[in-house]
Amino acid sequence: MAVYALTGFSLVSLLSFGYLSWDWMKPSLVADVATDPMEKSLPPTFTRPPHIIFILTDDQGYHDIGYHGSDIQTPTLDRLAAEGVKLENYYIQPICTPSRSQLITGRYQIHTGLQHSIIRPRQPNCLPLDQVTLPQKLQEAGYSTHMVGKWHLGFYKKECLPTRRGFDTFLGSLTGNVDYYTYDNCDGPGVCGYDLHEGEDVAWDQSGKYSTFLYTQRVSKILASHSPKEPIFIYVAFQAVHTPLQSPKEYIYRYRSMGNVARRKYAAMVTCMDEAVKNITWALKKYGYYDNSVIVFSTDNGGQTFSGGSNWPLRGRKGTYWEGGVRGIGFVHSPLIKRKRRTSWALVHITDWYPTLVSLARGNLSNVQGLDGYDVWPAISEGKESPRTEILHNIDPLYNHAKYGSLEDGFGIWNTAVQASIRVGEWKLLTGDPGYSDWIPPQTLTNFPGSWWNLERLTDGLRKSVWLFNITADPYERYDLSEQRPDVVRTLLTRLVHYNRTAIPVRYPAENPRAHPDFNGGAWGPWASEDDGEEWEGGREPLKSRNKKKKCKICKLRSFFRKLNTRLMSNRI
């Protein structure tokens, strides 16, 4: 029998705050909003393909939105979700690259070779070039396609860049995280470079502008210069609210009473992002797009709890296969939805956006084979049953094998030391090491530093390698049923075996010294030639004499912008 221990406070204190009594089906948090019967009537028939705005936030925790009972102010997101369809059975991936790759390709990680970790800045790796991407399919359907924000799908050669993968324009960063003002990113001591790009060029002149503001202004500019009579797709991949925790001080001031410093800064960043979405929505209306638009909002993975995020009451955090790592915030807002103002419990996964959006755009999917996603628009718009019945969260053969896992524990058909997770119907199975497994309440319960350590901790199960949960009945993963239901465990292990047979080899090449920004003008960017193989790992040294003058000029330019940025930031926190 599981033994639970509380660190930092008592169970009684949690109940007094109402956190453990949080009802999964509480009407004020996730149920349908009362609406006039006339609002159930069908919207105007699609007369032309809709404009599609896909907004992806980075590291926003499941709890960190107003309608999930958060202490963080998100009035815009709350309103858009309330007027649209909230997705409360929506799944993403536990870390950045996997979620983005599955959104862009409609395929599980095991089918793109990206099933292990993320694409790191110095790796000769990127989204496989043989994959036809979502924006490419939308281009085929006559859409103008634009990306603003974080790419994180590889850039070691130019063919990997967003503008070569289906986007007409791009403004954003190529790596996983950058400074919100200077756009510098360090991939280890002394391995630092500038990372803000306009198309395929380095955008040195944009340094000093807070990224959430910069990206929102770019979206508005795109809408202003385009005709609403022509379909447009804008992928807005906010850097917010990933670390570093940086926000204009006027947003931090709103949370000055919040004792936990990390949570305070994080909350400010979420609210700033919420206002950015408000400005994007306003621009859609101002320039005539809104009435024929579909706005999709999604997080990319669970919140990072030691950086201010909260996934309460779910178990786990970013980087884990517990619900706190893979259950996302998601909603769709559109005048074109037939049944608005409701909550959908249809099973939806991030791979589903590919076929759903291409179908909405009246694109052709007949020539795309092997998609793992489903068209879920009827489930979202009309309340029909989801065509999806299962989700492969992942199979990662390279992740550290669980010490106590074995083929014997997997009924002779699956090595339970391997990190894997799958959901079939109401059942969820995890094997190997699923990652950090505690339940961490919101970080505002106490005012002393390090208060994120206030958590409920599972003290047994350290020798386990198999877990089974009925997610419908137990969404917080408190009751492991693997010993009571070995029949279900065997069934789900069989499904893992099935998927594993379709997996392609993992793409995770060694880092290459040629990628160092010092050899590339001081910025992160492509370093391999177009003639090099798709997983180029050449180790030749760059011609220092050829780059010396260029590097010197770039250094002077960077020094100028650093000094200017220091002055600009003197009034910021």
Side-chain angles (χ1 to χ4, degrees):
M1 182 176 181
V3 178
Y4 298 94
L6 290 176
T7 304
F9 49 81
S10 68
L11 180 60
V12 174
S13 67
L14 272 177
L15 289 171
S16 68
F17 277 100
Y19 289 111
L20 290 186
S21 62
W22 193 87
D23 189 346
W24 188 256
M25 297 292 288
K26 188 175 181 180
S28 64
L29 297 180
V30 296
D32 294 358
V33 176
T35 181
D36 187 291
M38 291 300 293
E39 293 212 37
K40 296 284 187 178
S41 62
L42 300 181
T45 304
F46 283 49
T47 57
R48 58 185 187 275
H51 308 297
I52 301 170
I53 311 298
F54 196 103
I55 300 172
L56 187 71
T57 60
D58 201 339
D59 286 9
Q60 183 179 359
Y62 179 84
H63 183 71
D64 299 327
I65 192 166
Y67 66 82
H68 281 173
S70 179
D71 54 345
I72 298 176
Q73 301 165 22
T74 58
T76 301
L77 299 181
D78 295 344
R79 179 179 56 80
L80 292 176
E83 295 173 355
V85 177
K86 299 172 186 173
L87 305 178
E88 289 299 326
N89 205 4
Y90 174 56
Y91 286 86
I92 47 183
Q93 296 305 114
I95 49 179
C96 301
T97 296
S99 280
R100 294 160 203 276
S101 70
Q102 297 194 41
L103 166 66
I104 292 294
T105 67
R107 289 173 167 80
Y108 291 140
Q109 295 162 255
I110 63 166
H111 296 146
T112 59
L114 300 175
Q115 55 266 59
H116 179 68
S117 190
I118 59 174
I119 295 178
R120 302 191 179 278
R122 287 178 281 173
Q123 284 184 313
N125 194 13
C126 71
L127 189 72
L129 299 178
D130 61 352
Q131 294 289 326
V132 179
T133 67
L134 171 60
Q136 286 173 332
K137 294 303 295 182
L138 293 176
Q139 282 181 330
E140 290 177 7
Y143 275 69
S144 173
T145 60
H146 306 269
M147 180 179 173
V148 181
K150 173 178 169 179
W151 176 238
H152 207 184
L153 289 174
F155 57 87
Y156 78 103
K157 59 182 180 179
K158 287 188 175 181
E159 290 98 317
C160 302
L161 297 176
T163 48
R164 306 288 180 101
R165 306 311 304 271
F167 290 104
D168 296 326
T169 68
F170 169 68
L171 173 68
S173 60
L174 300 173
T175 60
N177 68 297
V178 299
D179 185 282
Y180 281 74
Y181 293 100
T182 67
Y183 299 96
D184 285 333
N185 176 29
C186 293
D187 187 40
V191 189
C192 301
Y194 184 82
D195 183 17
L196 183 64
H197 294 75
E198 172 88 56
E200 298 182 7
D201 299 320
V202 182
W204 297 104
D205 60 325
Q206 302 292 347
S207 179
K209 301 176 182 179
Y210 188 66
S211 72
T212 303
F213 295 159
L214 177 66
Y215 295 155
T216 306
Q217 291 165 2
R218 174 51 57 93
V219 173
S220 181
K221 183 177 180 181
I222 291 170
L223 293 172
S225 60
H226 187 78
S227 170
K229 295 181 180 180
E230 300 297 327
I232 191 170
F233 170 58
I234 306 180
Y235 172 35
V236 188
F238 281 116
Q239 177 185 353
V241 290
H242 196 291
T243 53
L245 299 179
Q246 297 172 299
S247 171
K249 68 178 182 179
E250 59 266 30
Y251 293 94
I252 297 178
Y253 185 76
R254 301 184 191 187
Y255 297 99
R256 59 192 180 280
S257 62
M258 193 173 283
N260 184 288
V261 175
R263 181 70 172 171
R264 185 192 313 156
K265 293 180 178 180
Y266 173 91
M269 295 166 71
V270 173
T271 296
C272 181
M273 178 272 296
D274 179 85
E275 291 194 5
V277 175
K278 177 182 178 180
N279 291 333
I280 290 173
T281 307
W282 180 84
L284 288 170
K285 294 179 178 180
K286 177 182 179 181
Y287 298 115
Y289 297 87
Y290 178 78
D291 290 340
N292 188 42
S293 69
V294 174
I295 301 172
V296 181
F297 182 89
S298 171
T299 49
D300 71 335
N301 46 245
Q304 187 58 279
T305 51
F306 56 75
S307 298
S310 175
N311 305 303
W312 184 261
L314 303 180
R315 186 176 185 176
R317 65 188 186 198
K318 172 184 178 178
T320 76
Y321 289 95
W322 304 107
E323 291 292 283
V326 297
R327 189 186 283 261
I329 299 172
F331 65 79
V332 180
H333 178 94
S334 172
L336 306 175
I337 293 174
K338 294 181 178 180
R339 292 184 57 204
K340 305 182 185 67
R341 298 179 177 271
R342 65 185 183 85
T343 293
S344 171
W345 293 92
L347 188 61
V348 178
H349 184 250
I350 196 167
T351 53
D352 297 331
W353 296 120
Y354 186 113
T356 299
L357 299 181
V358 172
S359 295
L360 274 177
R362 301 175 185 174
N364 180 17
L365 287 170
S366 63
N367 59 350
V368 181
Q369 304 298 320
L371 288 180
D372 293 306
Y374 295 84
D375 180 358
V376 292
W377 185 251
I380 293 171
S381 177
E382 304 172 43
K384 293 184 177 181
E385 193 170 327
S386 173
R388 177 176 288 282
T389 59
E390 65 184 50
I391 296 172
L392 176 68
H393 292 302
N394 196 25
I395 300 171
D396 186 348
L398 298 189
Y399 194 81
N400 295 334
H401 282 199
K403 185 176 181 180
Y404 297 99
S406 67
L407 189 62
E408 181 181 358
D409 290 340
F411 298 96
I413 61 174
W414 183 261
N415 183 357
T416 63
V418 175
Q419 185 191 63
S421 182
I422 188 172
R423 174 168 170 176
V424 178
E426 60 189 9
W427 295 102
K428 177 181 177 182
L429 179 78
L430 304 98
T431 70
D433 178 4
Y436 190 83
S437 64
D438 293 332
W439 295 266
I440 305 175
Q443 294 87 329
T444 53
L445 288 176
T446 58
N447 294 331
F448 57 85
S451 60
W452 69 274
W453 280 111
N454 293 331
L455 48 85
E456 184 177 354
R457 174 164 290 165
L458 184 65
T459 56
D460 76 345
L462 299 179
R463 295 175 179 269
K464 288 180 61 63
S465 63
V466 178
W467 293 262
L468 178 71
F469 301 96
N470 183 320
I471 290 299
T472 303
D474 177 27
Y476 313 142
E477 297 172 298
R478 292 181 175 274
Y479 306 105
D480 176 16
L481 301 176
S482 59
E483 294 184 6
Q484 291 94 318
R485 296 299 304 270
D487 57 321
V488 178
V489 171
R490 178 186 281 271
T491 298
L492 269 62
L493 288 176
T494 301
R495 292 302 296 161
L496 283 179
V497 171
H498 162 75
Y499 279 112
N500 199 45
R501 287 174 180 153
T502 70
I504 68 172
V506 179
R507 300 163 56 93
Y508 198 73
E511 295 181 344
N512 192 289
R514 180 86 181 278
H516 198 300
D518 283 356
F519 301 155
N520 295 280
W524 292 103
W527 72 89
S529 71
E530 297 183 7
D531 295 329
D532 290 313
E534 192 170 342
E535 291 193 7
W536 185 82
E537 297 186 51
R540 67 183 184 274
E541 287 294 321
L543 299 178
K544 295 182 180 179
S545 59
R546 181 184 301 173
N547 291 336
K548 188 173 182 180
K549 290 185 179 180
K550 180 181 178 182
K551 178 182 173 184
C552 183
K553 292 180 180 179
I554 291 297
C555 287
K556 289 180 179 179
L557 184 62
R558 293 187 73 199
S559 176
F560 168 77
F561 280 117
R562 284 181 189 278
K563 291 177 181 178
L564 177 62
N565 186 65
T566 299
R567 295 177 183 175
L568 290 172
M569 291 183 66
S570 61
N571 294 323
R572 297 187 176 109
I573 292 180

